[in-house]
Amino acid sequence: HAATDYQAEDATISQGTVATNHLNYTGTGFVDYTNVAGSYVQFTVDAAAAGQAGLQFRYANGSTTDRLMDISVNGTVVASNVSFPATANWDTWVTKTVNASLNAGTNTIRATATTANGGPNLDKLTLGSPSGGGTPGM
Ligand code: GCU
């Protein structure tokens, strides 16, 4: 069946705002992380079955600096300082996939900025198949 999208603007946001001041987002907007370490977006997602999933973060980073984030699942960091490299500009969105093990049913997935730059602009999270060799953070 089709992958499920979770819009960042509908998630729990700590130190960030919903914004619409750039092009090409999906849903009704995106999250602009406050430029501070510790800002986060937390999604509540539903997995049909336990096992590895690909957490597909659609983001834009029109700055020239990598925006690193920790990805945690159900309160445990599963990928530290994941790279969200610069994109062409703030209107250009790309997908970063992090593989992680999910429980069947409800899971919480949090993406937390680890540098004073804050996170990238975050459009949505899609649950899909694991990418590549299954290494978390790839
Ligand atoms: C700019 C941009 C924002 C972005 C911010 C940032 O202000 O318009 O969308 O979030 O830079 O550096 O994080």
Side-chain angles (χ1 to χ4, degrees):
H1 63 89
T4 307
D5 286 346
Y6 298 92
Q7 293 294 333
E9 64 271 25
D10 298 331
T12 299
I13 301 163
S14 176
Q15 299 185 102
T17 55
V18 175
T20 58
N21 60 323
H22 299 294
L23 302 176
N24 303 323
Y25 55 83
T26 64
T28 57
F30 58 86
V31 172
D32 174 349
Y33 279 75
T34 302
N35 299 120
V36 62
S39 49
Y40 70 79
V41 175
Q42 179 172 299
F43 301 87
T44 301
V45 306
D46 192 56
Q52 283 274 305
L55 313 180
Q56 301 168 357
F57 295 93
R58 187 171 192 259
Y59 78 94
N61 176 4
S63 79
T64 56
T65 306
D66 199 350
R67 298 280 174 104
L68 304 175
M69 297 205 288
D70 281 353
I71 308 302
S72 65
V73 176
N74 301 322
T76 300
V77 175
V78 297
S80 297
N81 291 313
V82 176
S83 181
F84 289 82
T87 58
N89 51 54
W90 292 109
D91 300 326
T92 302
W93 303 83
V94 299
T95 298
K96 175 77 183 200
T97 301
V98 175
N99 294 336
S101 185
L102 300 181
N103 298 328
T106 300
N107 296 262
T108 58
I109 296 170
R110 184 181 294 194
T112 305
T114 60
T115 77
N117 291 319
N121 288 348
L122 187 60
D123 182 37
K124 65 177 178 176
L125 167 65
T126 303
L127 286 195
S129 300
S131 72
T135 306
M138 292 296 287

